[in-house]
Amino acid sequence: MADLFDAFASTGTVLAEHGSPVIELVGARKTYRTGSIEFEALRGIDLRIEQGEYVAIMGPSGSGKSTLMNIIGCLDTLTEGDYRLAGDDIAELDEIDLAQIRNLRIGFVFQQFHLLPALSAWRNVELPLMYRQVPVGERRARAAAALERVGLGDRVANRPGELSGGQQQRVAVARALVGEPDLLLADEPTGNLDSQSTADVLGLLDELHQQGRTIVLITHELEVAQHARRIVWVRDGLIQSDEVIDR
């Protein structure tokens, strides 16, 4: 494991050096068991997402898209199959290893903002860096820069309750970006937003994609998914279609 985490610590270099896809799933299966009852949420998915792609994953309730997101985000593990993140095999890592990978390699944006109400914007954004034991001065500077990047450079001292829903989601995006992850994973990021805030956040994701960020967006809204450059439809635990959107 030491070699794996030494590579992970050098953010931004692994993909460039090895040319590996950010995500590579082969024969991915996930079975949940409750007593004698089994439910196969993923039934053998093959999926490859390259560096710099912007991919939306869609599907109805019970399709397996949430399970797929949990696997991609290292929030759950496969029952069978292989998963490589930035070229490294992580399909059978334990919870401690997965937690380290989530902190080092993946930036999460959820429907619920998950901001701590008592903390200012910059203190919320610096949290991932605290877990990495980044020195105080460096993490404050990086948090401020991340907030500037999402258009909130003048709101660094505001607490979540003093911000609009769209601004809170921008803080969440800044927090996801502050560690310079290989992958930005957004789960229904506009689900709690009004139309203007939705447009603002999707515009921000568009900008991040144009800057070369790899984005995987989980959504049930076609209008939101169409901001991506590729849409993967999931149904009954399988990929039903995988189409590139022409611009």
Side-chain angles (χ1 to χ4, degrees), residues 9-218:
S10 303
T11 56
T13 64
V14 174
L15 295 176
E17 290 176 1
H18 298 293
S20 301
V22 178
I23 293 166
E24 187 173 22
L25 287 163
V26 179
R29 293 180 176 271
K30 179 64 182 182
T31 302
Y32 294 102
R33 296 180 175 87
T34 303
S36 61
I37 300 173
E38 291 189 354
F39 171 68
E40 196 171 24
L42 300 180
R43 298 167 51 203
I45 281 181
D46 296 335
L47 179 65
R48 182 183 176 106
I49 297 176
E50 304 290 344
Q51 182 180 12
E53 281 199 272
Y54 184 180
V55 180
I57 296 176
M58 297 192 68
S61 178
S63 64
K65 71 178 186 298
S66 295
T67 300
L68 182 57
M69 182 210 71
N70 289 338
I71 296 296
I72 290 172
C74 299
L75 297 166
D76 203 350
T77 56
L78 292 173
T79 305
E80 295 180 29
D82 297 315
Y83 175 29
R84 291 184 177 273
L85 177 65
D88 290 292
D89 188 358
I90 63 168
E92 297 184 3
L93 300 184
D94 63 25
E95 285 298 324
I96 294 175
D97 296 333
L98 291 173
Q100 292 188 58
I101 291 171
R102 288 194 297 270
N103 181 252
L104 289 169
R105 305 304 271 178
I106 305 170
F108 292 92
V109 182
F110 296 105
Q111 180 174 346
Q112 305 294 336
F113 314 129
H114 297 304
L115 302 177
L116 298 180
L119 300 184
S120 63
W122 74 261
R123 292 196 66 192
N124 268 285
V125 172
E126 75 167 358
L127 285 174
L129 302 180
M130 291 179 65
Y131 299 138
R132 298 188 194 183
Q133 299 182 329
V134 174
V136 174
E138 180 183 348
R139 69 176 186 246
R140 288 185 179 181
R142 289 173 64 176
L147 285 164
E148 183 70 37
R149 187 176 184 180
V150 300
L152 291 177
D154 60 343
R155 296 285 189 151
V156 295
N158 290 92
R159 295 181 181 180
E162 300 169 328
L163 301 172
S164 69
Q167 289 171 331
Q168 289 184 61
Q169 192 60 292
R170 283 175 174 264
V171 173
V173 172
R175 181 183 57 197
L177 293 174
V178 73
E180 294 297 326
D182 287 325
L183 171 65
L184 183 63
L185 183 57
D187 181 21
E188 301 283 3
T190 62
N192 283 335
L193 303 180
D194 59 33
S195 57
Q196 183 56 58
S197 296
T198 292
D200 290 345
V201 169
L202 291 175
L204 175 59
L205 293 179
D206 289 343
E207 291 175 17
L208 293 171
H209 167 65
Q210 291 165 9
Q211 294 166 10
R213 185 70 55 184
T214 306
I215 303 172
V216 174
L217 171 68
I218 312 295

